[in-house]
Amino acid sequence: MRIPGSLVNNTIRILYENLHTDIMIKLAKMVDEDFDFYRVSGFRESIPINPQDCAHVIVKEVIRQNKFLNLVEMMIMINHKGLMGRQYPIRNLIEIIKGLSALGFIYDKENQLFFEDAQINASKNWGRLLDDHDYYLALLRLDIVHNTKIVRAHPKTQVEQAYALFYEMVERKIHHRWGRIWSWEGDGGMAAFFYGHRQTYAVYSALDIIQSLFVFNIFKNPLSEPIQIRLAVHAGSQRYSEDQVKWKKSDTASYVLELESKFCAPNELVISEAVNSSLEKTLSSLFKPKPKFPGFVAYKLGVEEI
Amino acid sequence: MIYCFSTIFVKLGFIEELMKIDKDVSLYDLAEFTKVLKKIKDHEIIYVEFSKIPEENQKILKSLGKRPSKSWAVLDPFGVQNDPAELFHLGAFDYLGPQFKKQPVQISRLKKALLWAGWVKSSKVQTEKYEDFKLTKLTVNKEYRMFFLLIDLYNPDNLRKELGEKGVAQFRSVFHDFLKQMCVENGGVLWIQQEFSFLLVFPPSSVENAVFLGLKLITSRSLFSIEKFDLKFILDIRASFHFGTAPWQEPGKTGNVVSDSINSLFHLGLKRAAANTLTFTENCLDSLPHRIKNLTQQIGEFEGRKIYQMPIFDS
């Protein structure tokens, strides 16, 4: 992530204008617990630290570590809550937030984290997740039922058009809740949720997709038969990697794939116990136990005969 | 169609005056009342004359009382009805007493009452073409053929219970704005609001958008209830459609709009339509998207029109 010079300079200035050197160093340690000012700066410990130099060293180092957003998040936190019982109001902090906003980052108050604005940029890691690091994520698995049959029964261009329209709908509903599509193979894919209440947002997206499917099939689907889908949502510790083969090996990803393929009927959304137990009561009440699979709950968009 | 059961008023030029308003008037003798009444559709108008025999008049009133409100009027050449206001309480839309034996009834007088009753000229309904228009360029008081969608919140008691009266008022306002936005996105206008019912209008070219909006609202109502409105229960919604006519007025200034289409759609939407599905009058059928039409089924008649319904959607 490239930080413009003006934003770097502003951050340095705002830091030394508002915080003493010892607080600045504590702040840097909150971002990186191994942070050692003297090692990074090369200054001797016997020489008093100039506030400007201190701010400069810290900002440059967090940028080098790709942790600039973490630093600003910590500044926002101590501005609101203080540090070790003392208040540290940071004047002009809004200038940094505006600078990040211009780069396409939005602040998520619930998790106190910045994330990418999907309308500007929608990278798989939200511009934040680091390769080979574990995060607590919610995953949504989607599969188009009888894909092979559909492909064989319809002209290629028609299938491509139908799937493109379907993907567009799915992507819109996922981005709307701050999720990201991690993989898409034509007949389905996987999406991840990290911001907001991630389990709830994954379930909202899945419900939105399945509830819109009926309308999609009537008004948008160019195929002569309705598209059917299977959906599953699970949450847990998940390794992030640019490499699809790597992240798919995680337990969370494996489990959500298993949920979808083994326990989910067409036009059904199955959620794991880990997800269900985190949902608010009204949302959870939409999911009913699956008689054939004790312990699993599912939502199905049903129609009653007149 | 207007049905008139009279022997005295007919001799006073009443029918001639009535036919100046609507040529489609049928005249019957009072003796045929019970037999003919069975054939009269709910949206059609009846004028019936009282005789000097109170028991007969009571029988007539009993039958008329079962009809939709404002679909019948009483002619009383002998002044046997002591309390004419009572007739209005029973559902009459007009009362013409013995004074009209001396001076003929004026056409403007008849028309005023008929319009109040929501009457629409029979020929107009059948022959007018589907003229398309833009909702931003409508002329006030001009009659347009429009596609109506009535959205009704079926369980207001749940709302009151959960939110309290103040909260309900706030919710209604939020729901109003939400519908208004959906309406704008789909080329329609949220025209009239009554309590928990919202009348949306669309030009004939936007029928598909109107159906899309109604279906989206019904199929996604659980998500809307929880995510958008933060409710602790799922809204039950009725969506009723009708293709009809109404004189245009700006939203918010619709208090004096008189339209049989609107009246009958409100009757259908609030008395007959099922929750969590889409209900259509026969007038809509030819304009519906093919895939929607295939999913509808006739469920009977209401106020003289065949009614069609889609399957009911679970939450």
Side-chain angles (χ1 to χ4, degrees):
Chain A
M1 179 184 172
R2 195 192 153 275
I3 310 294
S6 58
L7 183 55
V8 174
N9 293 337
N10 271 346
T11 309
I12 292 169
R13 180 178 51 80
I14 289 165
L15 269 177
Y16 72 69
E17 280 179 356
N18 287 282
L19 303 173
H20 294 299
T21 51
D22 56 335
I23 300 300
M24 275 193 262
I25 290 169
K26 280 198 174 93
L27 190 69
K29 282 183 182 290
M30 287 159 71
V31 176
D32 170 17
E33 58 184 28
D34 298 327
F35 181 79
D36 180 338
F37 178 83
Y38 297 102
R39 185 179 51 80
V40 172
S41 66
F43 292 174
R44 275 188 292 161
E45 288 187 38
S46 54
I47 299 170
I49 306 166
N50 173 307
Q52 277 102 321
D53 290 341
C54 184
H56 188 268
V57 167
I58 288 171
V59 172
K60 290 289 180 183
E61 176 61 9
V62 295
I63 290 173
R64 192 189 67 77
Q65 290 188 25
N66 199 17
K67 289 182 175 175
F68 181 74
L69 292 174
N70 305 55
L71 175 73
V72 182
E73 284 157 4
M74 291 304 161
M75 289 169 76
I76 293 172
M77 194 199 69
I78 67 165
N79 178 57
H80 282 300
K81 297 180 182 170
L83 193 63
M84 295 179 296
R86 282 193 61 181
Q87 296 298 309
Y88 293 99
I90 301 176
R91 278 177 292 115
N92 301 324
L93 185 59
I94 191 72
E95 285 179 29
I96 304 175
I97 296 168
K98 278 182 183 170
L100 283 172
S101 172
L103 290 178
F105 285 92
I106 297 170
Y107 187 65
D108 165 20
K109 283 183 182 168
E110 175 155 349
N111 293 300
Q112 298 164 7
L113 295 170
F114 281 96
F115 68 99
E116 277 177 335
D117 181 350
Q119 288 187 340
I120 296 171
N121 194 18
S123 52
K124 287 179 183 173
N125 69 344
W126 294 268
R128 298 297 305 273
L129 271 49
L130 302 173
D131 237 29
D132 295 325
H133 281 63
D134 290 331
Y135 299 91
Y136 190 79
L137 298 172
L139 295 181
L140 188 168
R141 164 72 188 161
L142 184 153
D143 179 60
I144 295 178
V145 179
H146 300 317
N147 172 58
T148 313
K149 199 180 128 210
I150 291 171
V151 170
R152 284 181 188 160
H154 300 86
K156 192 182 169 207
T157 49
Q158 208 179 41
V159 176
E160 282 172 355
Q161 191 195 356
Y163 283 12
L165 288 169
F166 181 69
Y167 176 81
E168 193 185 291
M169 178 187 83
V170 169
E171 186 188 53
R172 201 171 51 246
K173 292 179 187 314
I174 287 168
H175 283 177
H176 179 62
R177 283 131 185 138
W178 306 345
R180 292 290 185 267
I181 294 179
W182 274 13
S183 69
W184 193 265
E185 288 98 21
D187 63 339
M190 184 90 82
F193 294 80
F194 180 54
Y195 288 93
H197 192 288
R198 55 208 80 180
Q199 300 95 323
T200 302
Y201 281 11
V203 171
Y204 279 161
S205 297
L207 275 175
D208 200 358
I209 292 165
I210 201 166
Q211 292 185 346
S212 300
L213 189 66
F214 192 86
V215 178
F216 175 86
N217 278 325
I218 284 177
F219 290 97
K220 297 269 172 73
N221 182 4
L223 305 175
S224 56
E225 61 181 304
I227 287 177
Q228 293 185 300
I229 53 173
R230 279 191 288 258
L231 290 159
V233 176
H234 176 51
S237 178
Q238 169 69 40
R239 177 147 296 193
Y240 174 74
S241 173
E242 285 288 326
D243 184 352
Q244 204 177 123
V245 178
K246 276 189 186 173
W247 66 253
K248 278 190 175 173
K249 283 180 184 165
S250 279
D251 288 348
T252 305
S254 304
Y255 187 68
V256 77
L257 275 164
E258 193 182 338
L259 263 186
E260 176 266 305
S261 60
K262 287 189 182 168
F263 304 106
C264 193
N267 286 350
E268 198 171 65
L269 159 62
V270 174
I271 57 173
S272 67
E273 179 52 34
V275 170
N276 193 27
S277 61
S278 73
L279 299 181
E280 186 270 333
K281 200 177 154 193
T282 318
L283 183 57
S284 172
S285 71
L286 297 177
F287 294 84
K288 311 292 177 211
K290 281 178 74 80
K292 279 187 182 175
F293 303 108
F296 292 97
V297 291
Y299 169 86
K300 195 171 179 77
L301 181 68
V303 288
E304 290 168 18
E305 292 307 314
I306 302 167
Chain B
M1 172 81 96
I2 297 176
Y3 292 83
C4 189
F5 300 86
S6 162
T7 48
I8 309 290
F9 264 74
V10 73
K11 292 173 190 167
L12 303 171
F14 175 71
I15 296 294
E16 282 80 356
E17 290 302 302
L18 203 56
M19 285 182 79
K20 285 177 190 169
I21 303 170
D22 194 333
K23 285 181 182 168
D24 210 355
V25 178
S26 294
L27 177 66
Y28 294 92
D29 190 86
L30 204 53
E32 295 172 272
F33 177 76
T34 313
K35 193 176 112 192
V36 177
L37 183 67
K38 290 174 188 165
K39 297 177 189 169
I40 302 175
K41 295 173 180 171
D42 281 354
H43 69 282
E44 293 175 320
I45 297 285
I46 300 172
Y47 283 91
V48 65
E49 195 170 272
F50 276 3
S51 67
K52 287 180 180 174
I53 307 163
E55 289 80 2
E56 278 188 9
N57 297 340
Q58 281 307 312
K59 270 188 192 172
I60 289 170
L61 274 182
K62 201 175 172 187
S63 305
L64 291 173
K66 292 173 186 168
R67 284 184 54 80
S69 182
K70 295 201 283 185
S71 68
W72 53 276
V74 167
L75 310 171
D76 187 10
F78 308 109
V80 294
Q81 180 67 26
N82 292 330
D83 182 8
E86 188 197 356
L87 300 174
F88 292 91
H89 297 155
L90 290 170
F93 72 86
D94 204 0
Y95 170 81
L96 298 164
Q99 70 272 29
F100 291 107
K101 272 167 59 178
K102 293 172 193 163
Q103 56 176 81
V105 60
Q106 295 287 310
I107 183 170
S108 57
R109 159 75 178 73
L110 287 175
K111 200 170 181 177
K112 208 171 167 182
L114 279 164
L115 287 173
W116 181 69
W119 156 89
V120 175
K121 203 172 188 173
S122 317
S123 56
K124 206 167 187 174
V125 174
Q126 288 154 12
T127 60
E128 198 173 54
K129 287 182 181 172
Y130 289 15
E131 186 195 349
D132 205 21
F133 51 83
K134 285 186 176 167
L135 285 165
T136 49
K137 292 180 179 172
L138 297 188
T139 310
V140 169
N141 288 329
K142 189 182 167 187
E143 191 131 314
Y144 291 93
R145 188 164 180 79
M146 305 190 251
F147 196 63
F148 297 99
L149 162 56
L150 183 72
I151 297 293
D152 177 58
L153 298 177
Y154 189 62
N155 49 1
D157 287 345
N158 271 350
L159 278 171
R160 288 194 187 96
K161 200 171 139 190
E162 192 194 328
L163 307 172
E165 283 303 323
K166 202 176 168 185
V168 164
Q170 276 175 349
F171 169 77
R172 218 163 32 204
S173 163
V174 170
F175 190 77
H176 175 277
D177 292 348
F178 165 70
L179 265 189
K180 194 175 169 182
Q181 182 58 32
M182 276 186 98
C183 225
V184 169
E185 287 167 6
N186 288 286
V189 161
L190 201 171
W191 202 27
I192 296 171
Q193 180 183 350
Q194 282 182 10
E195 275 283 293
F196 297 97
S197 306
F198 304 81
L199 182 69
L200 284 52
V201 289
F202 297 82
S205 59
S206 296
V207 168
E208 198 168 310
N209 291 7
V211 178
F212 171 86
L213 190 158
L215 192 60
K216 176 79 191 152
L217 205 57
I218 298 285
T219 53
S220 297
R221 67 185 196 286
S222 57
L223 191 62
F224 288 144
S225 302
I226 298 169
E227 186 183 24
K228 196 148 201 84
F229 304 124
D230 201 20
L231 296 173
K232 303 287 179 219
F233 66 97
I234 310 302
L235 290 167
D236 287 318
I237 298 172
R238 299 190 274 199
S240 312
F241 297 81
H242 178 57
F243 223 142
T245 58
W248 176 253
Q249 287 292 341
E250 293 295 331
K253 298 175 183 172
T254 52
N256 295 321
V257 170
V258 176
S259 158
D260 173 58
S261 294
I262 296 176
N263 280 350
S264 59
L265 181 59
F266 266 89
H267 291 166
L268 171 69
L270 305 187
K271 291 179 184 172
R272 179 71 170 85
N276 307 327
T277 187
L278 279 61
T279 305
F280 304 94
T281 64
E282 61 185 19
N283 307 38
C284 308
L285 222 58
D286 291 339
S287 314
L288 294 180
H290 183 63
R291 286 174 176 174
I292 290 281
K293 203 171 167 181
N294 287 348
L295 289 166
T296 62
Q297 195 179 319
Q298 193 189 332
I299 52 159
E301 284 196 10
F302 186 78
E303 296 191 352
R305 293 189 183 99
K306 287 176 188 160
I307 303 301
Y308 297 81
Q309 189 184 297
M310 285 187 74
I312 291 168
F313 293 87
D314 296 339
S315 61

